[in-house]
Amino acid sequence: MTKIIQVTESSMPLLDEYVSEIAELWDTHWLTNMGTKHQEFEKELCKYLQVPWASLFVNGHQALECILETLELRGEIITTPFTFASTTHAIARKGLRPVFCDIDPHYYTIDEKKIENLITDNTCAILPVHVYGNICATEEIQSIAEKYNLKVIYDAAHAFGVKKNNQGIGSFGDANMFSFHATKVFNSIEGGAVTSSIDGLYEKLSQWKNFGIIDQENVEFIGGNAKMNEFCAAMGLCNIRHIEKDISLRKRVFERYQSNLASIPSIQLPKARPNISSNYAYFPILVKNEERGISRDDVYSALFDRGIRVRKYFFPLTSDYACYRDLFDSGETPIAQKVASQVLTLPIYATLSLDNVDRICCIISGLLANEKES
Ligand SMILES: *Cc1c(COP(=O)(O)O)cnc(C)c1O
């Protein structure tokens, strides 16, 4: 039997490297609550992201909820339905109302030209998502936010390691959320971080993620518990040493897919914005072949049957989830609806072999082959 090819495989350091990173915890017995690994990891993140500070979290989702709460936002947030559950849930769980904006048909990020029409007296913020390693139109979004006095919070879960004009991407908008979940380009097993230019926010986030505790005798607000532990911070410290290597290995896979699949007219390949160096987080294709009778779902099943795990990601739109669909009409974001019905993300990770990439591409082109002649 051929081995299953998963859609992703978590990056891990050599066992010895991790063991020596955690060894001192057996001396200190300090396992969580902002110990030395936590402090070192925050420092390394700042260096890597070229930002003045970074605040670590137990995961990206808690980081996002914490931003929304500490910025004391109320009312409506303009966002995208073409995202993971976390983005929309964070808005809804903080008592805010998501207002869904359509996406760009090529970059799959929020369509900045459609934001202004959705602004009302109740709008407090814009929450765009960088998708698959593609960065949103940050300058245009910033000028809309300034014109209407709105906060901008980026869901940058897909964008760790991406650079724009050679600058790290932790300094856009008012705040940025990163996820270091095991399935992301960079992981600390589970984890997340916030970066921001707002004065005093670091202290507020630090207190919020530790029950609102200021010091031993003072608890000033009703915070949660969202601290990263020392074992996760140690994993982050190891993995960040290898991130550039991992990204270059992903690039090799990404480019092989691109050249192998370029000749199939009914497949839309990913397109990068100018001046961006990607992290090659995902390889999304759109299967635009419905009229010939082979749909995205057919390609999905054909690959699945041959042991290749691909994902319909993002499908469905968050606005079509059972918990939201009575409240929103996804017909109002027709491009997002179409992309969600056609998208498949193919396996991509640092250790995926080019032979396997070729095998996956052969199956796809075999299915869609007869159209090649036309
Ligand atoms: C992974 C992800 C999150 C949530 O991150 P966790 O660390 O898993 O909580 C949020 N938004 C997007 C777009 C993601 O892909």
Side-chain angles (χ1 to χ4, degrees), residues 42-43 46-47 49-54 170-171 195-198 202:
E42 282 194 347
K43 266 194 221 136
C46 291
K47 264 195 250 166
L49 292 169
Q50 305 166 289
V51 291
W53 59 261
S171 31
T195 62
S196 163
S197 53
I198 298 175
Y202 179 84

Side-chain angles (χ1 to χ4, degrees), residues 123-307:
T123 309
C124 60
I126 307 169
L127 205 172
V129 179
H130 303 312
V131 179
Y132 306 133
N134 240 337
I135 300 302
C136 303
T138 52
E139 278 124 38
E140 289 83 350
I141 291 170
Q142 196 57 38
S143 43
I144 296 167
E146 280 165 18
K147 184 166 162 197
Y148 294 92
N149 196 22
L150 305 174
K151 292 272 190 283
V152 182
I153 299 137
Y154 283 102
D155 179 334
H158 283 195
F160 192 84
V162 178
K163 294 187 185 70
K164 183 171 182 178
N165 296 320
N166 236 1
Q167 274 290 307
I169 56 118
S171 31
F172 293 139
D174 293 281
N176 299 274
M177 175 277 273
F178 294 94
S179 165
F180 309 142
H181 184 258
T183 56
K184 312 291 182 189
V185 169
F186 167 72
N187 83 80
S188 64
I189 308 172
E190 290 252 15
V194 175
T195 62
S196 163
S197 53
I198 298 175
D199 276 347
L201 192 64
Y202 179 84
E203 288 70 23
K204 218 160 168 194
L205 294 171
S206 302
Q207 291 155 0
W208 189 96
K209 70 185 163 197
N210 191 24
F211 304 102
I213 294 173
I214 309 291
D215 60 38
Q216 285 192 20
E217 299 185 5
N218 292 294
V219 180
E220 281 186 3
F221 59 96
I222 310 170
N225 179 8
K227 305 182 296 284
M228 177 182 280
N229 70 59
E230 292 291 279
F231 289 84
C232 288
M235 189 68 152
L237 276 170
C238 293
N239 279 337
I240 206 166
R241 291 181 197 124
H242 308 292
I243 176 82
E244 290 303 317
K245 179 84 200 296
D246 280 354
I247 290 175
S248 67
L249 289 168
R250 284 173 170 273
K251 179 169 192 237
R252 181 191 56 110
V253 171
F254 190 99
E255 288 175 348
R256 185 71 154 226
Y257 273 129
Q258 241 171 354
S259 64
N260 283 356
L261 298 175
S263 59
I264 307 177
S266 64
I267 287 184
Q268 178 173 314
L269 295 174
K271 185 174 160 192
R273 272 187 215 273
N275 307 323
I276 297 290
S277 73
S278 179
N279 60 0
Y280 307 100
Y282 298 88
F283 195 89
I285 60 169
L286 300 193
V287 181
K288 302 190 146 201
N289 199 47
E290 291 88 341
E291 63 282 1
R292 287 168 181 272
I294 298 175
S295 68
R296 180 269 308 271
D297 289 0
D298 297 326
V299 178
Y300 178 94
S301 309
L303 289 165
F304 192 93
D305 292 345
R306 291 165 180 79

